[in-house]
Amino acid sequence: MNSKIDTQNYYITTTLPYVNAKPHIGFALEIVEADVLARYHNLLQEKVTFNTGTDEHGIKIFRKAQEEGKDAQTYVDEYAAKFDALKKALNLSYTNFVRTTDEHHIKAAQDFWMKCYEKGDIYKKNYKIKYCVGCELEKTDSELEDDKCPIHPNMDIELIDEENYFFKFSNYQDALLKLYKERPDFVMPKNRLLEIKNFVENGLQDFSISRLKSKMPWGVPVPNDEDHVMYVWFDALVNYISTIGWPNNLEEYESAWPGIQVAGKDNLRQQSAMWQAMLLSAGLPTSKQIFIHGFIQSGGQKMSKSLGNVVDPFGEVETYGTDAVRFYLLGAINAHRDGDYSKQAFEEFYTAHLVNGIGNFTSRVLSMLEKYADGIIPEIPSRDKHAKPVYDFWEEYERALENYQFHVAVDIINKYVALQDTYISEHKPWEMAKNGEDISPILYRIAERLRHVALALLPIIPETATQILKQLGISPDKFGSFYDEQNWGGLKPGMKIKKGDILFPRLEK
């Protein structure tokens, strides 16, 4: 367990989802993971900047707006609001919401372009490629299956034959390989670092960073060339620094950057190679670290807007509640691999770990305090005054979050709760009380252990965690720092508990 509070700045950002459809559960997974990290570092009393937003340019969005008979700006305004609504639905704590149509972002993207151009890394040429609109990426024949993109099999591959600006990605092979070698934890988990390292070792091809405005008018204008707009990836990636003030507010930018990026595995190339090469070209520091998560699947297929098999996070929240959805995404889905979603799996996880686990443990502890101690926290047992029986719990929990193993952190909490239920069942305090024995030491211990469970849950299911702490008589403004509150003996004798409603009701059959 850390012995002192780290007061450094902490910057975390998600990718920016396209606004060509409403939010789905796959992006909810990413933003909830980022939110856990933001809340965790807030509890460490670090200054946290948490960025998300919307990617609003590109051919997909332009065509979608045309399909709906709207001008592009009206369309993206409507959909950006839907993504921003996730803040309330999922109880998110982000501080920044950047839109790539924001004036300051457009200016930043153009300034960034000019830095790369002045470095000699941007040039113009004619080219002919196979292009997946879904990925917004060029595809080689080896990446296609039956001439279809395996990620977007319901979309036709398009042929592009035109003059574009290109970025000299090929200039940065050695620099990227050096970055990966010197920082072996730059991309997490390790198999994703190996994947991107192998990609770069195989040689880098310069990539297009513009489109003809006559064919695709919806994009950031290329500086000094009114015939071109920026390719969506070049524009969008700049959001990670435009949102924190670059290039106008360098003090704000330098206090936050470099930061942590959270992205799906289909973004590995863009985040950990393309963007890093762009930063090197512009003379800016590379990212601090990139965490790559897997997909949420349905029946073995990736959930995506283009496949039409997405789960609506707003609907899930309405059915089960915000914390239930957060808990499932974090605990039932392996953060480093693909996971499958189903209604049955969700409800089984909910019942096993929220109803019968955390909810039941909370109810048992508060009920016994009410019945056997008049709702008052009893005296701390003398032999427990300097004990720290949850040291290993916190060490494992912290290690899990630091390694982006959210599912492991949830499992650690679930196992600790199960251990306390076993402790209660083995000691049978109700029988001890019937026999006239003093059960106040047991009552204090289980109440204190419940407090530790609630503290560990604060980044994961914050509403429930706050409710438990309030029921134990702890006011939110008295939570203090994470590590102060971890100390054994945080509950003071005489504190009044406030037993409330059941935390997690059973699901109707």
Side-chain angles (χ1 to χ4, degrees):
M1 192 184 302
N2 293 343
S3 59
K4 87 177 190 180
I5 298 167
D6 188 349
T7 55
Q8 68 182 13
N9 294 321
Y10 181 82
Y11 175 38
I12 183 144
T13 179
T14 68
T15 56
L16 299 192
Y18 283 120
V19 290
N20 62 324
K22 61 185 179 181
H24 62 80
I25 203 74
F27 180 65
L29 169 69
E30 179 173 313
I31 200 168
V32 167
E33 288 175 341
D35 186 67
V36 170
L37 296 170
R39 289 180 180 276
Y40 173 64
H41 284 270
N42 258 317
L43 289 165
L44 299 182
Q45 293 195 342
E46 297 179 21
K47 181 183 177 183
V48 173
T49 302
F50 174 13
N51 177 60
T52 189
T54 45
D55 183 355
E56 302 179 11
H57 293 125
I59 193 67
K60 283 193 295 186
I61 293 168
F62 181 67
R63 289 177 180 173
K64 196 69 178 179
Q66 287 183 315
E67 286 175 19
E68 296 190 13
K70 299 172 182 175
D71 71 85
Q73 188 64 56
T74 299
Y75 174 86
V76 296
D77 287 347
E78 291 175 2
Y79 276 85
K82 293 178 182 181
F83 278 90
D84 201 14
L86 285 174
K87 186 167 194 177
K88 180 179 180 181
L90 295 173
N91 194 9
L92 304 170
S93 60
Y94 57 78
T95 58
N96 295 32
F97 189 89
V98 62
R99 298 178 57 186
T100 58
T101 54
D102 290 340
E103 186 176 341
H104 77 272
H105 170 79
I106 291 171
K107 178 65 166 57
Q110 291 172 326
D111 285 0
F112 193 95
W113 175 289
M114 289 306 300
K115 281 191 170 291
C116 297
Y117 182 82
E118 290 163 1
K119 181 75 177 289
D121 286 332
I122 291 178
Y123 64 98
K124 189 188 284 189
K125 76 170 183 178
N126 282 84
Y127 83 129
K128 187 175 183 178
I129 60 160
K130 292 181 178 179
Y131 182 77
C132 173
V133 174
C135 293
E136 298 274 17
L137 285 175
E138 175 183 348
K139 296 291 177 178
T140 62
D141 288 337
S142 63
E143 293 176 301
L144 303 177
E145 297 175 4
D146 299 324
D147 209 33
K148 296 278 189 180
C149 171
I151 300 175
H152 301 95
N154 63 327
M155 302 180 77
D156 291 333
I157 291 293
E158 299 189 6
L159 295 177
I160 293 180
D161 184 3
E162 63 184 43
E163 183 181 58
N164 284 175
Y165 284 96
F166 276 72
F167 176 76
K168 288 185 180 178
F169 199 24
S170 56
N171 278 2
Y172 292 92
Q173 180 178 18
D174 291 343
L176 289 173
L177 291 176
K178 181 182 178 183
L179 171 66
Y180 305 150
K181 182 178 180 180
E182 292 179 348
R183 293 162 61 184
D185 63 348
F186 180 67
V187 179
M188 295 284 285
K190 292 184 183 296
N191 65 306
R192 299 301 177 193
L193 178 65
L194 179 61
E195 185 180 338
I196 194 60
K197 181 182 175 184
N198 289 339
F199 170 78
V200 174
E201 283 178 339
N202 286 333
L204 299 177
Q205 300 297 316
D206 297 349
F207 59 85
S208 168
I209 58 172
S210 77
R211 293 290 181 265
L212 285 173
K213 189 173 182 179
S214 59
K215 293 184 178 181
M216 209 293 291
W218 185 241
V220 175
V222 167
N224 305 321
D225 193 336
E226 61 183 17
D227 293 332
H228 286 258
V229 295
M230 289 185 196
Y231 164 70
V232 63
W233 276 111
F234 192 94
D235 147 34
L237 289 167
V238 179
N239 92 86
Y240 301 130
I241 57 175
S242 71
T243 190
I244 51 173
W246 188 90
N248 297 324
N249 189 339
L250 292 181
E251 182 178 354
E252 179 188 357
Y253 157 74
E254 290 171 359
S255 72
W257 189 257
I260 309 290
Q261 294 170 217
V262 181
K265 66 179 185 178
D266 55 342
N267 265 265
L268 175 64
R269 188 189 311 180
Q270 297 91 321
Q271 306 297 323
S272 58
M274 293 166 64
W275 172 230
Q276 305 312 314
M278 289 163 57
L279 285 165
L280 290 167
S281 175
L284 301 175
T286 55
S287 304
K288 185 175 183 180
Q289 194 174 46
I290 300 167
F291 167 62
I292 302 292
H293 61 82
F295 292 149
I296 298 183
Q297 299 179 328
S298 176
Q301 276 191 308
K302 177 198 171 188
M303 283 188 181
S304 73
K305 290 171 267 193
S306 58
L307 292 176
N309 63 347
V310 300
V311 172
D312 176 15
F314 295 104
E316 296 301 284
V317 166
E318 187 175 347
T319 301
Y320 301 106
T322 295
D323 277 358
V325 172
R326 288 177 63 108
F327 198 74
Y328 181 82
L329 291 174
L330 296 164
I333 304 292
N334 187 311
H336 293 184
R337 299 200 297 266
D338 293 345
D340 211 76
Y341 174 91
S342 71
K343 184 174 186 290
Q344 179 181 348
F346 189 107
E347 294 188 350
E348 288 176 355
F349 196 81
Y350 172 91
T351 300
H353 300 298
L354 291 180
V355 177
N356 297 335
I358 294 165
N360 181 61
F361 175 52
T362 302
S363 179
R364 290 183 83 182
V365 171
L366 296 176
S367 294
M368 283 190 284
L369 284 169
E370 193 174 63
K371 184 173 182 179
Y372 300 114
D374 296 324
I376 302 294
I377 298 296
E379 289 290 327
I380 183 171
S382 57
R383 65 181 181 180
D384 288 356
K385 284 185 177 179
H386 303 291
K388 294 185 179 179
V390 291
Y391 182 88
D392 290 341
F393 166 79
W394 282 111
E395 285 284 298
E396 293 171 5
Y397 172 87
E398 291 165 10
R399 190 180 308 117
L401 290 188
E402 287 164 4
N403 287 293
Y404 308 102
Q405 294 176 309
F406 306 100
H407 60 293
V408 174
V410 171
D411 187 56
I412 289 166
I413 295 170
N414 289 337
K415 286 178 177 176
Y416 188 73
V417 168
L419 188 67
Q420 304 320 310
D421 279 329
T422 300
Y423 175 86
I424 294 170
S425 297
E426 287 178 347
H427 284 79
K428 297 181 175 62
W430 51 90
E431 290 188 3
M432 293 173 63
K434 188 184 293 185
N435 295 331
E437 299 178 59
D438 179 18
I439 64 169
S440 58
I442 292 175
L443 293 180
Y444 185 86
R445 288 178 193 131
I446 60 176
E448 180 66 359
R449 290 167 187 174
L450 176 60
R451 184 180 70 86
H452 282 270
V453 167
L455 287 172
L457 288 172
L458 273 171
I460 295 165
I461 46 174
E463 186 177 349
T464 297
T466 299
Q467 186 174 342
I468 294 172
L469 291 168
K470 286 181 178 179
Q471 288 175 310
L472 287 171
I474 304 172
S475 173
D477 61 350
K478 301 295 184 184
F479 287 178
S481 80
F482 206 33
Y483 288 107
D484 287 345
E485 289 295 341
Q486 283 182 23
N487 294 331
W488 184 255
L491 289 176
K492 305 304 178 187
M495 292 173 65
K496 178 76 174 174
I497 66 131
K498 305 169 185 176
K499 186 182 177 186
D501 297 331
I502 294 173
L503 294 177
F504 300 102
R506 294 191 177 276
L507 300 173
E508 297 180 6
K509 297 291 185 180

